[in-house]
Amino acid sequence: MKRIVIFASGSGSNAENIIQFFKKTKIARVTTVLCNTESAKVFDRCKKLEVKCLHFKRSDFSTSDNVLNLLKKEADFIILAGFLWKIPQSIIDNFPNKIINIHPALLPKYGGKGMYGMSVHRAVKENNETVTGITIHFVNANYDEGAIIFQAKTALDHQDSPESIAQKIHLLEQKHFPNVIETIILKENA
Ligand code: GAR
């Protein structure tokens, strides 16, 4: 049974979906959710699902090994599900091809620093894109630049608002993210 640790910064709808998905399988479990935002909704979701959710500070993450040491104890795979901060090199070095991020656009478009959540959907709308989607990728030292594992697209029309785009992306994320993680874990087990 592989152990998954999820990083989240906000609502945690992806974290919840992944937790529920793996509770029904025998291949992995979410052991811990780590969150850098004290008031985030993900804490309530985890409480309901009876999964440990821990808050950590920038200093635990970037200038000490507190988070790294916890991951060494508790994680085989690390999932970034709406997580805002850049992953330190020490964590990347310890978990090569074991850190997976979801991005709410078709990378390499609309990626990079500051491109998070609604800011992505607003940029997609401003550019009158006729298609957007999700990208699931391995994490390397640069924001949104690791090897792409999976993309799924959704059509847009002129009536779409940033909010309706967010809704379409949410549906794609709920449908695909846990399955893609499962495929990666099964490949490693093979
Ligand atoms: C998701 O749409 C995820 O793709 C996005 O944040 C949202 C988090 O929602 N991630 C990024 O923008 C990363 N650059 P959630 O907290 O409800 O899972």
Side-chain angles (χ1 to χ4, degrees):
M1 175 87 71
K2 296 292 180 189
R3 299 155 311 154
I4 297 172
V5 171
I6 297 178
F7 281 87
S9 295
S11 169
S13 67
N14 281 288
E16 177 168 354
N17 190 34
I18 294 163
I19 290 167
Q20 282 177 328
F21 179 93
F22 284 102
K23 275 189 174 176
K24 293 185 210 125
T25 78
K26 287 194 167 45
I27 70 155
R29 279 288 174 282
V30 176
T31 58
T32 310
V33 176
L34 295 175
C35 180
N36 61 317
T37 316
E38 252 165 321
S39 57
K41 193 170 165 193
V42 69
F43 284 99
D44 298 333
R45 294 185 194 266
C46 288
K47 200 171 171 195
K48 233 177 36 209
L49 294 162
E50 299 179 334
V51 170
K52 183 170 58 179
C53 188
L54 303 174
H55 174 253
F56 66 96
K57 300 188 296 292
R58 179 79 75 175
S59 54
D60 297 316
F61 192 53
S62 309
T63 53
S64 80
D65 285 339
N66 291 345
V67 170
L68 174 62
N69 290 337
L70 183 144
L71 291 169
K72 280 183 179 168
K73 273 194 240 139
E74 297 202 13
D76 297 305
F77 287 87
I78 298 168
I79 306 299
L80 310 186
F83 182 62
L84 210 52
W85 289 349
K86 195 168 174 181
I87 301 295
Q89 192 62 46
S90 57
I91 295 181
I92 292 172
D93 290 344
N94 275 275
F95 291 89
N97 288 330
K98 297 283 188 295
I99 312 176
I100 299 167
N101 181 45
I102 190 158
H103 187 76
L106 295 170
L107 292 173
K109 279 180 148 186
Y110 304 106
K113 199 170 175 5
M115 277 297 178
Y116 176 81
M118 286 307 293
S119 60
V120 175
H121 309 314
R122 278 193 285 271
V124 165
K125 173 69 188 171
E126 270 161 29
N127 287 329
N128 296 313
E129 296 284 359
T130 55
V131 62
T132 188
I134 59 169
T135 303
I136 297 168
H137 65 94
F138 288 116
V139 172
N140 68 12
N142 301 318
Y143 272 115
D144 302 327
E145 286 182 16
I148 291 176
I149 303 163
F150 175 87
Q151 291 186 307
K153 294 179 183 172
T154 185
L156 301 177
D157 61 43
H158 65 279
Q159 287 179 329
D160 272 305
S161 61
E163 290 72 26
S164 72
I165 295 172
Q167 190 51 33
K168 288 180 172 180
I169 291 300
H170 176 75
L171 293 177
L172 285 182
E173 294 188 336
Q174 295 285 302
K175 179 171 177 199
H176 294 292
F177 200 14
N179 290 298
V180 172
I181 297 167
E182 183 183 42
T183 304
I184 298 290
I185 295 175
L186 287 173
K187 254 193 203 156
E188 205 220 35
N189 283 346

